[in-house]
């Protein structure tokens, strides 16, 4: 099996920053995938939020260009669990490629040499096999509110409580959701680990929620992603809770 490092660094509101960081310094041999341009589809209005999931064919082209295909084990990294690497981890599994891991601690944990500039990446053929059991739509989520579903909000506590909302038009959270900020995702509460109810995770736009899903997976718990997240929910006039 061949190994392929993939640099997924990004900064919200700075679409060129990830590639700039990659060109300045990256793990030798690593390819680069852009969170906004390749790990997301262009936003198209109220549905799908700021970072909709990419179409299967579009993701397959991007993954193949990055050297990802059959027989390739992917090691994704970012600045240290800022969402990009976990997003690639989730997308690869969503499209049927389970040979993937995330570099714990990000590029700062890498003890080897670094290299600047572009890399000559051998392209591969990525054959997407999309799953349907790892996502939930806004309509499905709204219909299940108040039931046995456990909804987890990965945003910072002040955004969850509705005290500060710098991005989306409405402050607050999905009614009944509990807060597990992605920055503290490794501290998964025991009741989430032991629950027999289904877990759904969302964030602002479906990126950092993947950090929580990865942490839950490491704790032995599966969870579904609500891809549109708060950026979709808050724009559609759906129920909101604060505090």
């Amino acid at each position: 099996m061949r190994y392929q490092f993939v640099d997924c660094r990004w900064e919200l509101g700075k679409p060129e920053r990830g590639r700039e960081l990659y060109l300045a310094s990256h793990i030798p041999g690593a390819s680069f995938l852009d969170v906004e341009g390749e790990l997301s589809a262009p936003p198209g209005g109220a549905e799908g939020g700021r970072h909709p999931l990419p179409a299967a064919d579009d993701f397959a082209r991007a993954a193949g260009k990055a050297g990802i295909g059959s027989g390739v084990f992917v090691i994704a990294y970012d600045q240290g669990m800022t969402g990009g690497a976990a997003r690639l981890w989730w997308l690869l599994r969503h499209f049927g490629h389970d040979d993937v891991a995330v570099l714990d601690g990000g590029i700062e944990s890498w003890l080897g040499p670094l290299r600047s500039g572009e890399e000559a990446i051998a392209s591969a053929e990525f054959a997407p096999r999309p799953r349907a059991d790892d996502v939930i739509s806004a309509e499905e989520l709204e219909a299940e509110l108040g039931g046995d579903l456990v909804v987890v909000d990965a945003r910072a506590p002040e955004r969850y409580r509705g005290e500060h909302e710098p991005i989306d038009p409405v402050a607050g959270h999905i009614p009944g959701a509990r807060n597990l900020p992605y920055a503290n995702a490794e501290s998964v509460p025991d009741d989430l680990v032991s629950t027999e109810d289904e877990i759904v995770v969302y964030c602002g736009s479906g990126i950092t929620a993947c950090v929580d899903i990865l942490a839950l997976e490491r704790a032995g718990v599966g969870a579904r992603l609500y891809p549109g997240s708060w950026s979709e929910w808050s724009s559609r006039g759906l129920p909101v809770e604060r505090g």
Side-chain angles (χ1 to χ4, degrees), residues 15 25-26 31 56 58 67 70 88-89 95 126-127 134 179 189 192-193 198 207 210 221 235 238 243:
S25 182
H26 58 261
S31 54
D58 292 337
S70 178
L88 177 58
W89 169 84
F95 286 115
F126 186 90
D134 57 352
N179 192 208
L192 275 182
V193 175
E198 188 171 26
I207 304 296
C210 297
V221 184
S235 68
L238 296 171

Tab-separated table of all heavy atoms in Angstrom, residues 15 25-26 31 56 58 67 70 88-89 95 126-127 134 179 189 192-193 198 207 210 221 235 238 243:
chain	number	residue	atom	x	y	z
A	15	PRO	N	-9.707	32.544	1.606
A	15	PRO	CA	-9.727	31.376	0.721
A	15	PRO	C	-8.374	30.987	0.131
A	15	PRO	O	-8.199	29.836	-0.270
A	15	PRO	CB	-10.715	31.788	-0.380
A	15	PRO	CG	-10.806	33.268	-0.309
A	15	PRO	CD	-10.587	33.628	1.128
A	25	SER	N	5.570	25.878	3.164
A	25	SER	CA	6.184	24.803	3.944
A	25	SER	C	5.193	23.665	4.119
A	25	SER	O	4.092	23.882	4.648
A	25	SER	CB	6.615	25.338	5.314
A	25	SER	OG	7.239	24.345	6.078
A	26	HIS	N	5.562	22.457	3.687
A	26	HIS	CA	4.685	21.307	3.840
A	26	HIS	C	5.506	20.029	4.017
A	26	HIS	O	6.725	20.024	3.800
A	26	HIS	CB	3.738	21.165	2.642
A	26	HIS	CG	4.455	21.024	1.334
A	26	HIS	ND1	4.643	22.070	0.465
A	26	HIS	CD2	5.052	19.947	0.742
A	26	HIS	CE1	5.303	21.659	-0.596
A	26	HIS	NE2	5.563	20.366	-0.449
A	31	SER	N	0.367	16.314	-1.121
A	31	SER	CA	-0.461	17.058	-2.058
A	31	SER	C	-1.302	18.051	-1.258
A	31	SER	O	-1.261	18.058	-0.028
A	31	SER	CB	-1.345	16.105	-2.865
A	31	SER	OG	-2.092	15.267	-2.009
A	56	ALA	N	-20.118	13.826	-6.169
A	56	ALA	CA	-19.229	12.668	-6.211
A	56	ALA	C	-18.181	12.787	-7.314
A	56	ALA	O	-16.983	12.525	-7.083
A	56	ALA	CB	-20.049	11.393	-6.392
A	58	ASP	N	-17.038	15.492	-8.820
A	58	ASP	CA	-16.101	16.584	-8.539
A	58	ASP	C	-15.080	16.161	-7.491
A	58	ASP	O	-13.882	16.435	-7.628
A	58	ASP	CB	-16.856	17.822	-8.055
A	58	ASP	CG	-17.711	18.444	-9.139
A	58	ASP	OD1	-17.421	18.224	-10.333
A	58	ASP	OD2	-18.680	19.146	-8.792
A	67	GLY	N	-3.557	12.373	-5.788
A	67	GLY	CA	-2.855	11.105	-5.650
A	67	GLY	C	-3.601	10.058	-4.865
A	67	GLY	O	-3.015	9.071	-4.415
A	70	SER	N	-7.299	3.683	-5.277
A	70	SER	CA	-7.257	2.353	-4.685
A	70	SER	C	-5.825	1.991	-4.288
A	70	SER	O	-4.875	2.250	-5.038
A	70	SER	CB	-7.791	1.329	-5.690
A	70	SER	OG	-7.712	0.031	-5.160
A	88	LEU	N	-11.589	16.076	5.147
A	88	LEU	CA	-11.134	15.121	4.145
A	88	LEU	C	-11.323	13.695	4.645
A	88	LEU	O	-11.778	12.819	3.888
A	88	LEU	CB	-9.674	15.363	3.780
A	88	LEU	CG	-9.069	14.365	2.781
A	88	LEU	CD1	-9.847	14.326	1.473
A	88	LEU	CD2	-7.602	14.679	2.523
A	89	TRP	N	-10.986	13.440	5.898
A	89	TRP	CA	-11.190	12.115	6.503
A	89	TRP	C	-12.650	11.691	6.351
A	89	TRP	O	-12.947	10.572	5.927
A	89	TRP	CB	-10.793	12.169	7.975
A	89	TRP	CG	-11.181	10.981	8.795
A	89	TRP	CD1	-10.508	9.808	8.924
A	89	TRP	CD2	-12.360	10.858	9.622
A	89	TRP	NE1	-11.183	8.953	9.774
A	89	TRP	CE2	-12.322	9.581	10.221
A	89	TRP	CE3	-13.424	11.705	9.920
A	89	TRP	CZ2	-13.310	9.137	11.090
A	89	TRP	CZ3	-14.414	11.262	10.790
A	89	TRP	CH2	-14.349	9.988	11.364
A	95	PHE	N	-17.314	8.677	0.670
A	95	PHE	CA	-17.251	8.225	-0.721
A	95	PHE	C	-16.589	6.859	-0.868
A	95	PHE	O	-16.163	6.481	-1.959
A	95	PHE	CB	-16.542	9.266	-1.577
A	95	PHE	CG	-17.379	10.499	-1.848
A	95	PHE	CD1	-17.000	11.735	-1.365
A	95	PHE	CD2	-18.553	10.406	-2.573
A	95	PHE	CE1	-17.770	12.866	-1.602
A	95	PHE	CE2	-19.334	11.529	-2.819
A	95	PHE	CZ	-18.948	12.766	-2.336
A	126	PHE	N	-9.812	7.700	-8.637
A	126	PHE	CA	-10.658	7.561	-7.450
A	126	PHE	C	-12.065	7.206	-7.899
A	126	PHE	O	-12.681	7.934	-8.678
A	126	PHE	CB	-10.674	8.864	-6.651
A	126	PHE	CG	-11.416	8.756	-5.350
A	126	PHE	CD1	-10.754	8.389	-4.186
A	126	PHE	CD2	-12.778	9.011	-5.281
A	126	PHE	CE1	-11.432	8.277	-2.981
A	126	PHE	CE2	-13.473	8.900	-4.081
A	126	PHE	CZ	-12.794	8.541	-2.927
A	127	ALA	N	-12.556	6.072	-7.423
A	127	ALA	CA	-13.897	5.611	-7.799
A	127	ALA	C	-14.836	5.840	-6.614
A	127	ALA	O	-14.800	5.083	-5.635
A	127	ALA	CB	-13.869	4.137	-8.173
A	134	ASP	N	-24.615	8.288	6.571
A	134	ASP	CA	-23.747	9.105	7.428
A	134	ASP	C	-24.103	10.586	7.379
A	134	ASP	O	-23.366	11.419	7.904
A	134	ASP	CB	-22.274	8.900	7.062
A	134	ASP	CG	-21.973	9.222	5.604
A	134	ASP	OD1	-22.927	9.457	4.838
A	134	ASP	OD2	-20.782	9.226	5.236
A	179	ASN	N	-23.676	21.171	23.434
A	179	ASN	CA	-22.457	21.770	22.901
A	179	ASN	C	-21.234	20.916	23.206
A	179	ASN	O	-20.964	20.575	24.359
A	179	ASN	CB	-22.285	23.163	23.517
A	179	ASN	CG	-21.220	24.015	22.839
A	179	ASN	OD1	-20.618	24.873	23.449
A	179	ASN	ND2	-21.005	23.811	21.549
A	189	PRO	N	-17.738	13.556	26.410
A	189	PRO	CA	-18.406	13.179	27.656
A	189	PRO	C	-18.798	11.702	27.678
A	189	PRO	O	-19.142	11.115	26.653
A	189	PRO	CB	-19.650	14.082	27.677
A	189	PRO	CG	-19.306	15.227	26.780
A	189	PRO	CD	-18.427	14.649	25.710
A	192	LEU	N	-22.112	10.601	26.120
A	192	LEU	CA	-22.146	10.489	24.664
A	192	LEU	C	-21.531	9.174	24.208
A	192	LEU	O	-21.987	8.570	23.232
A	192	LEU	CB	-21.392	11.653	24.009
A	192	LEU	CG	-22.150	12.955	23.795
A	192	LEU	CD1	-21.254	13.969	23.086
A	192	LEU	CD2	-23.423	12.735	22.984
A	193	VAL	N	-20.498	8.738	24.914
A	193	VAL	CA	-19.849	7.476	24.560
A	193	VAL	C	-20.791	6.303	24.817
A	193	VAL	O	-20.826	5.328	24.051
A	193	VAL	CB	-18.539	7.298	25.351
A	193	VAL	CG1	-17.917	5.928	25.083
A	193	VAL	CG2	-17.547	8.396	25.005
A	198	GLU	N	-29.011	7.657	18.421
A	198	GLU	CA	-28.236	8.108	17.270
A	198	GLU	C	-27.748	9.533	17.493
A	198	GLU	O	-28.482	10.375	18.025
A	198	GLU	CB	-29.078	8.033	16.006
A	198	GLU	CG	-28.286	8.313	14.741
A	198	GLU	CD	-29.089	8.025	13.489
A	198	GLU	OE1	-30.329	8.087	13.551
A	198	GLU	OE2	-28.466	7.751	12.456
A	207	ILE	N	-17.768	21.903	8.468
A	207	ILE	CA	-16.326	21.616	8.441
A	207	ILE	C	-15.852	21.130	9.809
A	207	ILE	O	-15.416	19.986	9.955
A	207	ILE	CB	-15.511	22.848	8.000
A	207	ILE	CG1	-15.998	23.364	6.635
A	207	ILE	CG2	-14.022	22.501	7.941
A	207	ILE	CD1	-15.804	22.410	5.497
A	210	CYS	N	-16.806	17.852	11.601
A	210	CYS	CA	-16.070	16.614	11.311
A	210	CYS	C	-15.012	16.331	12.368
A	210	CYS	O	-14.648	15.165	12.569
A	210	CYS	CB	-15.436	16.695	9.925
A	210	CYS	SG	-16.643	16.845	8.574
A	221	VAL	N	-17.779	5.645	18.947
A	221	VAL	CA	-19.176	6.020	18.721
A	221	VAL	C	-19.331	6.580	17.315
A	221	VAL	O	-18.574	7.461	16.906
A	221	VAL	CB	-19.631	7.086	19.742
A	221	VAL	CG1	-21.112	7.392	19.560
A	221	VAL	CG2	-19.344	6.630	21.165
A	235	SER	N	-30.777	30.097	8.044
A	235	SER	CA	-31.247	30.864	6.894
A	235	SER	C	-32.616	30.419	6.391
A	235	SER	O	-33.182	31.037	5.499
A	235	SER	CB	-30.231	30.771	5.751
A	235	SER	OG	-30.197	29.454	5.225
A	238	LEU	N	-35.994	28.002	10.464
A	238	LEU	CA	-36.270	26.825	11.285
A	238	LEU	C	-36.164	27.183	12.770
A	238	LEU	O	-35.594	28.210	13.126
A	238	LEU	CB	-35.305	25.709	10.900
A	238	LEU	CG	-35.466	25.201	9.458
A	238	LEU	CD1	-34.337	24.245	9.088
A	238	LEU	CD2	-36.822	24.517	9.270
A	243	GLY	N	-29.272	30.254	24.737
A	243	GLY	CA	-28.931	29.990	26.120
A	243	GLY	C	-28.231	28.663	26.303
A	243	GLY	O	-28.020	27.912	25.363
